[in-house]
Amino acid sequence: MTTTNNDSTKPETIQDIAFKLAEEQLQQLQLDGPRERTLFLLGSKNVGKTTVINSFFDREETPRPTLALDYSYARKTGGVQKQICHIWELGSLDRQLAEVPLRSHGLENLSCVIMLDLSQPQRLWYDLKESYEILRTYADKLLQRAEEDGGEEKLRRRIKKDHPDLATLDLMPFPVIIVGGKYDLFIGAEPEIKKHICRCLRSMAHLVGASLLFYSNKIQKLAKTLRDTISHLAFGSPSHPFRSHNTDHNDALSIWFGNDAWDKISPMGGVQTLQSIEAHLNEEIPQVTGETKNHQEKQDPAKDPGFRESVIDEMRAQKDEELRLLIKDSVQQKMRGKFESVK
């Protein structure tokens, strides 16, 4: 009588199970790789973007002016998969420079923080609108590409479909946080100015699907909330960084996306558009126009021979060279990608 050995009937040993688990984990890592996200900070000059980033990294160094585009990254290891967040800071509202972080790791892995200087309410709309248009231009381009690839629905899944105002909103396809910086200097503003600025920011945040938060590095509670928000955007924890909900213009605003509505923002109610928000703010607080802003930039002391500073000039030359190499590398990677897709 002959017998046959059937390996399938043998019980698995601990070693067999260990090999199987290791193989599954390796396959998962090969499929997914490190989980990567991109965090992009832009907005008003000298509002404290670098200070926010330094706080997130627990750096105590004195922040230096961001002349062009700064890059840093944060890494977190939990379980099998690593998490990496690429953090970009735009020094001035330059659309060409903004293209680098916006294209780095895809639309669905992108989060943006627009920081505005509350201490200069007459300049607020220019910085807000410029920041919005930078993000909207590239969002529309990438959404069109995603639609061609059949991925638009996946990118838009963050939208709350049961919100009563949904049909009237022009939502961004990625998380956006509008941060009103230097709140400690805004506290003493006239009540009417506070009311109109807060109404403008609430309207804009609601229109584009952004969260809204007031911040000051001199107020510990607000600084911690923004730090937790950066951690949430970078790694997903804490799951809900806003500990409170506040819409009172006499206090620091704290409104998570989806928790506002047109009838709550204004006693008159009514749907707002980008144009109507701008018109209402200009009527109450005349805003700096693009022409005025450009005229001021032309008179920038940094470009005046009478204001030369060797240390600053050397730093700027270094940053300009870093930017040139960064853009060159980005173009080369794009070209390599095109050639590889043809092969």
Side-chain angles (χ1 to χ4, degrees), residues 298-334:
K298 287 179 182 178
Q299 297 181 338
D300 184 358
K303 300 176 183 178
D304 189 330
F307 289 89
R308 287 178 178 168
E309 291 285 348
S310 58
V311 176
I312 296 176
D313 293 342
E314 182 180 346
M315 185 188 305
R316 176 146 194 172
Q318 179 183 346
K319 291 294 184 180
D320 288 342
E321 178 62 17
E322 290 175 0
L323 174 63
R324 187 187 69 80
L325 294 174
L326 185 64
I327 294 176
K328 180 180 178 181
D329 183 60
S330 177
V331 172
Q332 288 176 345
Q333 288 182 3
K334 183 177 180 182

Side-chain angles (χ1 to χ4, degrees), residues 46-325:
N46 303 317
V47 71
K49 298 185 290 294
T50 303
T51 300
V52 170
I53 294 173
N54 285 346
S55 173
F56 177 65
F57 284 107
D58 290 324
R59 296 174 185 158
E60 296 183 358
E61 60 191 53
T62 302
R64 296 177 296 178
T66 303
L67 301 178
L69 184 68
D70 271 3
Y71 169 80
S72 54
Y73 73 93
R75 181 174 55 194
K76 182 178 181 181
T77 303
V80 176
Q81 191 179 42
K82 289 183 179 179
Q83 297 184 68
I84 298 173
C85 183
H86 306 273
I87 301 175
W88 298 86
E89 178 195 349
L90 189 64
S92 60
L93 293 171
D94 187 304
R95 301 193 180 203
Q96 183 179 2
L97 292 177
E99 188 173 352
V100 177
L102 288 172
R103 295 190 314 177
S104 57
H105 288 93
L107 196 59
E108 62 179 326
N109 297 315
L110 174 68
S111 300
C112 296
V113 175
I114 299 175
M115 289 193 66
L116 305 169
D117 189 346
L118 293 176
S119 70
Q120 301 188 58
Q122 75 282 1
R123 296 172 178 266
L124 184 138
W125 181 255
Y126 179 86
D127 292 337
L128 176 57
K129 186 177 180 182
E130 281 292 301
S131 300
Y132 163 75
E133 289 181 347
I134 286 172
L135 299 182
R136 173 56 66 190
T137 297
Y138 288 103
D140 289 345
K141 286 182 181 179
L142 294 172
L143 274 175
Q144 183 179 2
R145 191 180 307 163
E147 186 176 1
E148 293 170 357
D149 297 338
E152 183 178 9
E153 181 60 31
K154 183 178 179 181
L155 294 176
R156 291 190 177 276
R157 63 188 175 187
R158 63 179 291 271
I159 298 172
K160 297 183 178 181
K161 297 181 179 180
D162 59 346
H163 197 289
D165 294 339
L166 183 59
T168 67
L169 306 181
D170 185 22
L171 298 171
M172 288 289 192
F174 46 78
V176 176
I177 311 291
I178 297 176
V179 177
K182 297 187 178 181
Y183 177 69
D184 57 299
L185 301 178
F186 185 67
I187 294 175
E190 293 293 329
E192 284 299 303
I193 291 179
K194 287 183 180 181
K195 181 175 71 174
H196 295 303
I197 291 295
C198 289
R199 185 176 298 173
C200 168
L201 293 179
R202 286 181 65 185
S203 297
M204 192 65 177
H206 187 51
L207 178 67
V208 304
S211 301
L212 176 59
L213 175 69
F214 280 3
Y215 158 81
S216 170
N217 66 328
K218 297 179 180 179
I219 302 177
Q220 185 176 2
K221 178 182 176 181
L222 301 183
K224 186 177 189 310
T225 300
L226 182 54
R227 190 179 189 278
D228 288 346
T229 301
I230 298 296
S231 179
H232 169 79
L233 297 176
F235 302 120
S237 60
S239 58
H240 199 307
F242 285 24
R243 294 175 181 80
S244 62
H245 174 78
N246 184 43
T247 60
D248 183 0
H249 66 267
N250 291 309
D251 200 354
L253 296 185
S254 177
I255 307 169
W256 193 248
F257 162 60
N259 291 316
D260 219 340
W262 294 128
D263 58 359
K264 296 178 182 178
I265 293 173
S266 171
M268 303 296 293
V271 175
Q272 296 290 314
T273 64
L274 189 68
Q275 292 74 23
S276 65
I277 297 170
E278 179 178 10
H280 291 157
L281 182 63
N282 256 310
E283 184 178 344
E284 303 296 339
I285 307 173
Q287 295 292 296
V288 170
T289 63
E291 292 180 359
T292 306
K293 191 86 171 178
N294 291 335
H295 178 68
Q296 291 172 345
E297 288 176 354
K298 287 179 182 178
Q299 297 181 338
D300 184 358
K303 300 176 183 178
D304 189 330
F307 289 89
R308 287 178 178 168
E309 291 285 348
S310 58
V311 176
I312 296 176
D313 293 342
E314 182 180 346
M315 185 188 305
R316 176 146 194 172
Q318 179 183 346
K319 291 294 184 180
D320 288 342
E321 178 62 17
E322 290 175 0
L323 174 63
R324 187 187 69 80
L325 294 174

